[in-house]
Amino acid sequence: MAASSHNSFPRSPNPSNRSYDSSSVSSATSPRPQVQLLGNLMGTNARQNNNQAPHPIGIPPLPPVSQTGFQPYTPVTATSVMGRDSLPPTDSVASTPGLSSAQLSANVSAQKRAYRQRRKDPSCDACRERKVKCDATETTSCSECSSRNVKCQFTKETNRRMSSIKQVQDLEKQIERVRRENSNLRRTLAERGEHMDVDGEGSEQLPQQHPPDPNIEPRRRKRPTPLLQDPSRARAAFRNFSRGVLKPPAPYRQSQTSIITFDHPRPPLPPKVIVDKLLHTYYGATHIMMPILHWPTLQHQVEELYQNTTNIQRVPISWHSMFFAALAIGSLFSNDPYPDRTLRAGEFLEASRSLTDPWINDFDLDNVRASFLISLALNEMNLKSAALTWLGAAVRSAQDLELHLEVAGVHSRVEADMRRRVWWAIYILDRTLSTELGRPFMIDDADCDVALPEPVDDHFLHTEGPVHPPVNVLTLTHFLLAIINVVRSYSAMRKAFSHPVVEKPRLATFDNHFISCQKLFPEALEANNASLIAPHMLMPFTYLLSARLVLHRQNLAPGCPPEARSDAILQCQATAIETARLISRTNTTLADCATALLVTHTFRCTLFLLLTGYYELASTCLMALKSIDVRRDAAVPCGRFLAFFLQFLGAKQRELLTILPRSTTSGYPPQVALPDPRAVQDALSKDEELLIYVSADMQASTETAWVWFGAEREAPLAMSQSASTGNSLAHPDNRTGLNAKEREDWGGWDSLIEMTRGLASGTASPIATAYAHRSQTLAPIKMEQGTNMANIPQSGMAETGSSRNSPAAGAASGSRSTERISIANII
């Protein structure tokens, strides 16, 4: 039986008597050859067939039976019938002495059944037509096709189907192996502090983008050059006959006097004294950061305007609109009382808008400036969506003038640099405002090649010739170049935000870029410098601090790993600490020159300082916001949010003090023992609801928000509608988003500072634990009037001014039921 089933022919002419070799196509999915298995079963005394049968011409014989050059098989599943699981181990069978003929016959029959189950291996077209066995592999042709010098191919539907299944299985195994290797490699590089640009599994492969180096000019775009040596005749004809078909590039356009200009009654001019005061305020608040106006030229134009006020129509209407917009910004930053300051700014903005032609088709530089200044003023008034709309008009009108390109047709050196300044100012506002609102950028870096502005002040910028500043004179007092270098990283940051998590190497790249940008600011702004700083120096530096916090805050998303979220909190905490210390070093109040960006950034820093327990520095930020108050319309909504956050944080802190295990300190009674402050702080930093509140304006965009998940299944809330009419700029409900009751019910800044001090007295201060010298002697215990620990609720939010977080009236100072010990004193 065994002898009859053993066939040593590699390929028999008779298809009915040939043995099937399942390794002919894929050795990774086939069992061992039958001849090898039967040879082991029969042992060394098996009868050898010495008569060599003739082989077909051109077909090489199979390797000898003793050869063991087969790859081991890894089964796909534990119950797979296609693997070696259905076969008995060869060694165990061969080593069993005295196999009976029945056992041998059963083994051979089982093996035949296994081979019949594997008769689905595909054969090439030639072997299938000739009814011969195919020994093709995935990389080599079969011997039959090689001998006939034909192409070994699989075109039949069954062959393609079986071949595809095997290819898919092999590819799945290779992909899994590559994933394991990549995972191990990433883990190894992460331990070494290195980086490999390999995204996580399942994430889309996105191109990495690095922020440009500071003061590096944008890459110049190629311009076509004519093949004609002198295209002047074609240029003249083209300029004549292309009117109405297209507009030439901005430097080569000719003014059209036949076009009917926009004519609107000019608003009356304010007194010259008020104008001088507002322009001085505008210079200190805006011009030092975005000098889009050539100041000597502006002063000369204002003097000419007030020398002949009877004929205002001679002034271009675009300049007049830009002039009123500048006065509106100056009014917002003036020291006039509230609400006169805001009301006058609204009147100037309305005057500027009335002088804007909504159907204008031919722009000039003052049109762009007017739209940009209106957008800037609306942003300071907390009307950010309206500001984004006007900024879009500024972007498109600037692109119509080709301010985004470095053109060669501008003859005036002042005009050329003003074009650059206006464009980069628009670029800055586009990046910052779009990032705050979570909107797409309006400007693509790939479309721009305009050079950076010249690093000199307006007084050293002359119309003709090179700039020769005096020796030992500070030639640059504005911060436009420093801000540009900071915001140019926003494009790379937006690319990094497209990934589920911003990896540490990417964060390190941005941090190094921000360190390089910080060198462009005065040395007094460095963290290790203790000198006093002027408030106007802190405003431009806020762009860098805000960018750093927004970058690391991105990893607070719930899809990030826990270690990435913890590191994000620490990095945002470090930026908040630096911000609070800079605020404490200002030599005057921030009230008059504080921008909306500073208010928003200080608000974010306060949230992180309160979350991480830096209550003293949080109080510093709160006092800065208190000094600003209604001068910036964003301050009151931020204060209302902070009041809610403080209440919730206090309730959560008291809840943790009751449920966390209490630490034991030798020498103190058990009733005064409190949980470990580090455990309380760690639990607060991991509370998901607190992280939602700390993320704040991250929840303003669908791409970054997670608090609105499932809100579509809730009933819509009925919002109160304001019944006021009139100028929307003048009404505080539109600027703050709050009605009169909501603007008053949060308690004011003094109550926030008191609540922060209450939190500081009830838990450990990180400043004391991290920076104070650790002494072996405990500080004297300070007994404070407070709430009985047994009566603290385990959940719920305490109301402001309730009896649960205020001293009980008439309580005896010596009663132990109303005494509590400050954790800071225990430590």
Side-chain angles (χ1 to χ4, degrees), residues 471-625:
V471 183
N472 298 329
V473 174
L474 185 62
T475 61
L476 182 63
T477 58
H478 63 75
F479 298 91
L480 179 61
L481 282 174
I483 298 175
I484 290 173
N485 286 288
V486 173
V487 300
R488 288 179 73 184
S489 64
Y490 275 58
S491 300
M493 286 173 55
R494 182 64 64 88
K495 290 289 185 181
F497 291 169
S498 302
H499 296 266
V501 58
V502 185
E503 300 290 345
K504 285 186 177 181
R506 297 287 298 159
L507 294 174
T509 301
F510 286 106
D511 286 335
N512 293 332
H513 173 73
F514 293 144
I515 291 174
S516 301
C517 293
Q518 187 169 356
K519 298 177 181 178
L520 303 176
F521 291 91
E523 296 182 359
L525 295 171
E526 295 181 357
N528 56 358
N529 197 318
S531 60
L532 297 178
I533 57 177
H536 75 275
M537 297 170 59
L538 184 59
M539 301 307 122
F541 194 64
T542 308
Y543 284 90
L544 188 146
L545 297 173
S546 177
R548 188 189 302 165
L549 188 140
V550 169
L551 168 67
H552 291 282
R553 191 185 61 172
Q554 184 69 20
N555 280 349
L556 284 182
C560 298
E563 58 274 8
R565 303 181 80 185
S566 300
D567 186 66
I569 294 176
L570 293 177
Q571 294 297 330
C572 293
Q573 167 194 298
T575 303
I577 291 174
E578 183 178 355
T579 301
R581 290 176 176 171
L582 286 173
I583 291 176
S584 64
R585 288 166 47 199
T586 53
N587 52 13
T588 57
T589 179
L590 298 173
D592 294 335
C593 61
T595 60
L597 180 62
L598 178 66
V599 172
T600 305
H601 176 67
T602 307
F603 161 70
R604 297 169 185 159
C605 293
T606 308
L607 290 174
F608 281 100
L609 292 174
L610 291 173
L611 176 68
T612 55
Y614 286 83
Y615 301 113
E616 193 67 29
L617 295 176
S619 299
T620 301
C621 294
L622 289 175
M623 286 186 289
L625 292 174

Side-chain angles (χ1 to χ4, degrees), residues 179-197:
R179 285 179 175 175
R180 289 196 302 267
E181 293 176 354
N182 287 342
S183 179
N184 296 332
L185 182 57
R186 280 197 303 269
R187 190 181 301 108
T188 302
L189 292 178
E191 293 175 356
R192 297 178 181 177
E194 301 176 3
H195 175 59
M196 178 177 63
D197 287 336

Side-chain angles (χ1 to χ4, degrees), residues 652-653 656-657 660 675-685 763 823:
K652 182 66 67 174
Q653 188 182 90
L656 292 175
L657 289 176
L660 289 179
D676 187 359
R678 290 171 295 183
V680 175
Q681 200 60 53
D682 184 66
L684 291 175
S685 300
T763 185
I823 301 179

Side-chain angles (χ1 to χ4, degrees), residues 458-473:
D458 300 344
H459 304 282
F460 307 112
L461 189 62
H462 302 285
T463 303
E464 302 293 341
V467 178
H468 297 290
V471 183
N472 298 329
V473 174

